[in-house]
Amino acid sequence: MNAPLYIVDGARTPFCKMGSDLATSDAVELGRTAASAVLAQTGLDPALIDEVIFGCVGQPIDAANVSRVLALRAGIPAHVPAITVHRNCASGFEAVTQAAQKIAAGRGDIFLVGGTESMSRYPLIYNDSASRKFTTLSRAKTLPQKLAAFLRFRPSDFSPRISLQLGLTDPVCGLNMGQTAELLARDWQLSRDTQDHFALRSHQRATAARARLADEITAIYPRNAREPSAVLTDNGVRETQTLEALQKLRPLFDRHGGTVTAGNASQITDGAVALLVMSEAALKRTGLTPLGRLVDYAYAGCEPARMGLGPVHAIARAEQRTGLGLADADIIEINEAFAAQVLACQSAARSSDFCRTHLGLDHALGEIPDERLNVNGGAIALGHPVSATGARLVLTALKELQRRRARRALVTLCVGGGQGGALWLEAAS
């Protein structure tokens, strides 16, 4: 990249399972909390920010352009513009890379970016027939008109569709995300036992990393909670998780012969992440010290039914841009949408045949070693608030590089709809 983007600092809320500790906090409050924490940590005058860019997949109906609303509530002056971006699970990446594009184009020097998601708040949707009847009822003026409109309703009109379920189903291939993971498990012959062992490791690593992960978490005080108190930790990590307990779970997406369960899939989660990023010139002006920089990035498309292989496609494209390969990464983060999906990416990366046939390479991408992969656990344990995850991967990876005094990290994820994103990061020297 001709004009590098530097990541100065970041903060996130705890990640909490849908319907639990953060259910009373909407996407605005989650994002505001993370944004305020970053501003407090860095001491930056918010008036110096050129733009706020946040990802949000399930934007709240009552807060259009959620990025703008959370920015104002975080105390960022009204003259600072804001935009909300959406690339499904890569929305947090998109916020970072759009800032990089703007810096490279000379359209700003300082950006507050991230992602916020309240999956607890995804709405229920009434069908078209019910919607028309509600409209007719709302327009009725006299009592007879209202009674006639009301009598047109049928019991089926009061069975709304679950928007979260609809959002996790691909409209092109017709498969939900769990079914795409089942397809990969069959393609790559990934056993249930292998997937459960991977899930167990995620919980074990996240448990061991509690203190390290606490360094990136800011407390949040949920509004309207029955007993207001600070939420300080991710609540999806099961410190006493056992293989035996995982093996008792039934398949969710293929009842007859399936291998993907709630235990070896990512958790549906609420949470937000904010990152302060800036150009080299802005670093010099502010005197701030960065965690690291974005070396380069790539997005790639792939077959929607096998969207879980998106990281491999994006890693290959990033290698073509940067010359950096898997062996150059001191740590690697692949979002754990499903255990089967990450395991399939490991298999595909080492397969010369796959890389030749699907990526157009004359060599395999190489090995993704377990000892360098998701060293602090992943979304199976920590959760996956879809638009926030990409920004979390960036923050977690840079802080881990700092702790290890290591140089490079590769962070990547799959994207519903058949895409992948990959970012190469480098620690500050």
Side-chain angles (χ1 to χ4, degrees):
M1 292 174 60
N2 295 328
L5 172 143
Y6 289 88
I7 299 93
V8 175
D9 205 352
R12 68 175 176 91
T13 68
F15 283 5
C16 296
K17 293 180 289 186
M18 180 182 73
S20 64
D21 294 346
L22 298 182
T24 60
S25 297
D26 60 16
V28 173
E29 181 60 16
L30 295 172
R32 182 207 66 79
T33 300
S36 296
V38 172
L39 293 174
Q41 288 167 196
T42 60
L44 180 80
D45 179 356
L48 298 177
I49 296 172
D50 290 298
E51 192 164 13
V52 177
I53 309 172
F54 265 66
C56 188
V57 173
Q59 285 206 55
I61 302 301
D62 58 351
N65 192 5
V66 64
S67 183
R68 174 63 169 171
V69 182
L70 73 86
L72 293 173
R73 289 188 179 173
I76 295 171
H79 75 264
V80 178
I83 183 173
T84 304
V85 296
H86 184 338
R87 197 195 280 263
N88 286 344
C89 300
S91 298
F93 275 7
E94 186 66 24
V96 174
T97 59
Q98 281 208 18
Q101 291 170 357
K102 288 174 182 285
I103 286 174
R107 307 290 293 185
D109 285 304
I110 302 175
F111 295 85
L112 184 67
V113 305
T116 183
E117 204 75 52
S118 175
M119 302 187 82
S120 294
R121 297 294 189 95
Y122 279 23
L124 300 176
I125 301 173
Y126 287 94
N127 60 40
D128 292 340
S129 174
S131 296
R132 287 193 296 269
K133 291 171 185 176
F134 278 116
T135 300
T136 300
L137 180 61
S138 69
R139 291 175 177 173
K141 293 181 170 53
T142 66
L143 182 59
Q145 288 174 339
K146 292 179 180 179
L147 182 59
F150 182 77
L151 290 174
R152 291 192 183 98
F153 282 94
R154 297 293 179 268
S156 60
D157 292 325
F158 300 98
S159 299
R161 294 177 293 171
I162 301 170
S163 64
L164 176 61
Q165 189 176 57
L166 294 173
L168 294 176
T169 299
D170 188 274
V172 177
C173 68
L175 301 177
N176 64 45
M177 297 300 99
Q179 290 170 324
T180 70
E182 288 284 11
L183 189 57
L184 292 183
R186 290 194 292 271
D187 285 349
W188 296 95
Q189 298 181 337
L190 302 168
S191 69
R192 166 71 182 271
D193 186 63
T194 302
Q195 295 173 55
D196 286 346
H197 272 91
F198 184 95
L200 177 63
R201 188 178 73 194
S202 183
H203 283 282
Q204 290 173 336
R205 288 184 173 182
T207 297
R210 281 285 199 192
R212 296 192 295 275
L213 292 172
D215 185 45
E216 62 195 46
I217 295 175
T218 187
I220 182 169
Y221 294 82
R223 293 183 176 181
N224 303 319
R226 292 181 179 179
E227 297 180 8
S229 61
V231 179
L232 300 167
T233 60
D234 306 315
N235 73 4
V237 182
R238 294 189 287 273
E239 297 181 0
T240 59
Q241 181 68 72
T242 64
L243 187 62
E244 292 73 23
L246 287 168
Q247 290 173 335
K248 291 178 182 178
L249 298 174
R250 295 181 178 181
L252 274 178
F253 308 101
D254 180 357
R255 299 289 185 182
H256 307 288
T259 57
V260 179
T261 71
N264 58 40
S266 59
Q267 299 176 29
I268 299 172
T269 311
D270 303 327
V273 184
L275 304 169
L276 179 64
V277 303
M278 59 181 62
S279 67
E280 188 170 13
L283 276 181
K284 292 176 181 177
R285 288 201 310 270
T286 61
L288 292 168
T289 302
L291 290 172
R293 72 182 182 96
L294 174 66
V295 176
D296 210 338
Y297 64 92
Y299 295 105
C302 64
E303 183 185 356
R306 291 172 172 80
M307 67 91 200
L309 294 177
V312 184
H313 290 263
I315 290 168
R317 186 166 290 184
E319 182 178 298
Q320 292 171 350
R321 289 183 56 85
T322 64
L324 296 172
L326 291 169
D328 296 304
D330 295 297
I331 57 171
I332 299 170
E333 291 279 348
I334 300 179
N335 183 45
E336 295 172 359
F338 302 91
Q341 170 260 322
V342 180
L343 291 163
C345 285
Q346 287 182 293
S347 297
R350 72 170 73 97
S351 168
S352 297
D353 181 62
F354 177 89
C355 292
R356 180 176 60 254
T357 304
H358 296 278
L359 305 180
L361 302 177
D362 59 5
H363 62 280
L365 285 172
E367 194 69 33
I368 301 176
D370 289 341
E371 64 271 16
R372 285 190 274 144
L373 174 64
N374 299 355
V375 296
N376 294 309
I380 288 174
L382 300 173
H384 179 25
V386 283
S387 65
T389 292
R392 183 197 71 78
L393 295 177
V394 171
L395 178 59
T396 301
L398 285 174
K399 284 188 171 289
E400 188 61 28
L401 286 179
Q402 187 180 59
R403 283 188 289 268
R404 295 181 176 220
R405 297 183 180 179
R407 186 180 181 187
R408 292 195 189 99
L410 170 64
V411 297
T412 181
L413 44 66
C414 63
V415 184
Q419 295 187 73
L423 277 58
W424 277 98
L425 306 170
E426 194 170 84
S429 56

